[in-house]
Amino acid sequence: MPGGDPQDSPTVFGMGGAGGSFAYGDTATGTAFALTKSVLSFDFSTAETCIDIARNATRG
């Protein structure tokens, strides 16, 4: 689950990248998420906000 501890599930993988980009996937649920920003920074708050939006939308 996004925002959770990846060690809790062997099916979850992800990586933060240069400039605040971020991607993750979960092979158990078929969930994938990627974010590429147009302004480079080392701040991941945009990725965290987008993950929260996606998480809330998929919870129903």
Side-chain angles (χ1 to χ4, degrees), residues 2 11-14 22-35 50-51 54-55 58:
T11 64
V12 175
F13 61 95
F22 179 78
Y24 77 86
D26 183 348
T27 59
T29 63
T31 303
F33 176 85
L35 174 74
C50 291
I51 289 168
R55 180 188 306 131
T58 58

Side-chain angles (χ1 to χ4, degrees), residues 26-53:
D26 183 348
T27 59
T29 63
T31 303
F33 176 85
L35 174 74
T36 302
K37 300 180 351 180
S38 60
V39 176
L40 298 179
S41 71
F42 293 105
D43 178 15
F44 287 96
S45 63
T46 302
E48 292 170 359
T49 299
C50 291
I51 289 168
D52 287 341
I53 292 168

Side-chain angles (χ1 to χ4, degrees), residues 2-17:
D5 186 347
Q7 295 178 356
D8 291 342
S9 173
T11 64
V12 175
F13 61 95
M15 177 63 114

